[in-house]
Amino acid sequence: MNALSRKPEAAPRLASAPLPALPAPSRLAPVAARVLPPLLVVAALGILWEYAAGGSGATLPPPSQVWADSRELILDPFFDRGGLDKGLFWHLAASLTRVFEGFFLSAIAGVALGMLVGTSPFAMRGLDPIFQVLRTVPPLAWLPLSLAAFREAQPSAIFVIFITAIWPIIINTAVGVRNVPQDYRNVAAVIHLRGPAWFWLVVLPAAAPYIFTGLRIGVGLSWLAIIAAEMLIGGVGIGFFVWDAWNSSNLSDIIVALFYVGITGFVLDRCVALLGRLATRGVAAS
Amino acid sequence: MTAFLDISGVSIQFPRSPVPVLRDVTLRIEKGEYVSIIGHSGCGKSTLLNIVAGLLPATTGGVVLEGREISGPGPDRAVVFQNHSLLPWLTCYENIRLAVDRTVGRGMSRAERAEWTEHNLALVRMSHARNKRPGEISGGMKQRIGIARALAMKPKVLLLDEPFGALDALTRAHLQDQVMQIHAELGTTILMITHDVDEAVLLSDRIVMLTNGPNAQVGEVLAVDLPRPRDRIALAADPRFTAPRAAVLEFLHHRHAAPATAAA
């Protein structure tokens, strides 16, 4: 009887009562699920490498040998004893500076040329065949010509970066500009959006994901090219460091340098991808 | 006596096509009228709407709006596109504001333009989503923003290109009611493309039925004699609703069955 009379009061309270708390999900489990597999694979590869390079006839040093030979190089990337005897940080910084200078120039020129080729059929027909031929020229093939033209190592290296990165930027920008959807063109036609306003308000944002794809490919190619170019031009730089280590038969140093090169390239790629995501507000593929 | 919107003898033929898509379509629409164009897929309904919008040129014939022949797209014939066509990098507010700034807003102050944009957001009850981007709202909401953008241009004729085609039935009904309400409030002249018979009968003053394309013509024009405001539930069994519905169905499925169905 008591229970029955209490029921009408209890019902509305039940309806708005919070649901029973779910067991708190573990925060560690998803992190472990992401981090463990690559760690395990790296460990397995390390063991395999140690085993494969451990024999008496091995030509390459095993990881333990690399650690013993190049401990200073791994642990202290910041030392500077003048000349070319510097930590890896300084070599990487010199290479990155060259890449940034060349890539910056090619981003500006590439986007501008891509816009031109994408909007003007005349420019497209005139320039596209030239681009298609020139883009297949390997980056290093440009080096002798640019050395002859600039007569100095530094601008030559920057030019090689420029000429390497520019083709994917031009081509992707042009594709993005040409592929502005018909829907947007119709909307712009109805509201009489023309000239610079049409360009800034519709074409550029619509092409932005393509442009950033081009920039990402460009920065990746630049990083590939700078290592090779520096081997030839010398001076401070990670490419020349590798070449120098080879000449002094210091294989362990080369292996350490290659790790740094790979990680830096990866970070570069992610930086441009992040920039693209921020600039296109998440429209560009990551 | 010329009509408000006069489509006279419009034919259109695309290059490299032996027969015209539309042949000699003539249609006179009065101010404030709600006219639907219905027909099977591929009969050229959307082509006709694009000609009125000025997005496609007619091969022969022409369209006259309020005594002036149209010669290209313009905000006096605002279009609500089937796939909403909002710019994905702009918020709902910015999408409408862009249209306002480029059209009716030219003579307004900044504050007036902002207010007019907000007014149109409120008209389709989307003020709460003003700062959302199209990717963050549902299909029905996108279409409401598309309608608000078109209305914000203060068009003489509102062109609806299968505006509810991609929506689920409940959302569609809700939006149809909203469009009817806006039509009653603003008295805008509306030309709508649809392939939904119920939608055509419920919303329109007249239904224009096109024959199958290519070479599509106006097959029949049916006046829907229903008082407004119309209520979909009350009308469901009303003979004044069911009779025109049956007439349109008869036209579409007996006399002018879809080519694929006829062949089967």
Side-chain angles (χ1 to χ4, degrees), chain A residues 11-103:
Chain A
R13 231 173 351 123
L14 262 180
S16 63
L19 292 169
L22 293 167
S26 160
R27 276 194 219 148
L28 220 59
V31 175
R34 261 164 193 274
V35 172
L36 274 184
L39 281 183
L40 285 177
V41 171
V42 166
L45 287 176
I47 292 166
L48 190 70
W49 175 16
E50 181 74 47
Y51 175 77
S56 54
T59 48
L60 295 176
S64 56
Q65 182 72 36
V66 172
W67 175 253
D69 290 347
S70 312
R71 184 161 23 168
E72 190 197 15
L73 206 58
I74 298 167
L75 293 180
D76 183 12
F78 298 106
F79 71 87
D80 185 355
R81 297 197 202 96
L84 293 181
D85 193 7
K86 296 173 194 290
L88 280 175
F89 171 82
W90 303 110
H91 289 286
L92 283 170
S95 302
L96 279 174
T97 310
R98 291 189 187 108
V99 165
F100 279 132
E101 284 170 0
F103 181 68

Side-chain angles (χ1 to χ4, degrees), chain A residues 18-222:
Chain A
L19 292 169
L22 293 167
S26 160
R27 276 194 219 148
L28 220 59
V31 175
R34 261 164 193 274
V35 172
L36 274 184
L39 281 183
L40 285 177
V41 171
V42 166
L45 287 176
I47 292 166
L48 190 70
W49 175 16
E50 181 74 47
Y51 175 77
S56 54
T59 48
L60 295 176
S64 56
Q65 182 72 36
V66 172
W67 175 253
D69 290 347
S70 312
R71 184 161 23 168
E72 190 197 15
L73 206 58
I74 298 167
L75 293 180
D76 183 12
F78 298 106
F79 71 87
D80 185 355
R81 297 197 202 96
L84 293 181
D85 193 7
K86 296 173 194 290
L88 280 175
F89 171 82
W90 303 110
H91 289 286
L92 283 170
S95 302
L96 279 174
T97 310
R98 291 189 187 108
V99 165
F100 279 132
E101 284 170 0
F103 181 68
F104 182 72
L105 292 176
S106 76
I108 292 171
V111 170
L113 277 170
M115 294 274 172
L116 179 70
V117 171
T119 42
S120 148
F122 179 83
M124 163 75 190
R125 295 205 184 103
L127 291 171
D128 194 60
I130 301 173
F131 292 164
Q132 296 300 338
V133 171
L134 290 185
R135 80 187 173 92
T136 62
V137 175
L140 278 194
W142 292 100
L143 191 59
L145 263 188
S146 60
L147 277 171
F150 294 109
R151 297 185 181 280
E152 255 186 87
Q154 187 72 358
S156 303
I158 291 168
F159 175 77
V160 168
I161 297 307
F162 171 84
I163 208 78
T164 307
I166 199 166
W167 311 117
I169 301 175
I170 292 176
I171 290 165
N172 279 282
T173 305
V175 168
V177 171
R178 269 204 297 277
N179 284 359
V180 173
Q182 188 60 40
D183 298 341
Y184 304 166
R185 294 179 193 274
N186 286 344
V187 170
V190 170
I191 65 173
H192 288 316
L193 201 61
R194 302 195 192 94
W198 149 252
F199 191 81
W200 287 111
L201 296 175
V202 179
V203 175
L204 205 61
Y210 291 87
I211 294 174
F212 276 98
T213 303
L215 290 176
R216 239 179 118 179
I217 299 172
V219 86
L221 291 180
S222 303

Side-chain angles (χ1 to χ4, degrees), chain B residues 135-177:
Chain B
E136 300 165 337
I137 58 178
S138 70
M141 288 174 159
K142 282 181 213 160
Q143 208 48 282
R144 274 148 74 183
I145 298 296
I147 293 170
R149 177 174 65 182
L151 287 172
M153 300 177 208
K154 294 188 183 162
K156 291 175 184 162
V157 183
L158 184 62
L159 304 173
L160 306 178
D161 187 1
E162 293 190 30
F164 317 122
L167 305 175
D168 66 89
L170 290 175
T171 311
R172 189 185 307 173
H174 181 64
L175 269 186
Q176 287 166 349
D177 289 343

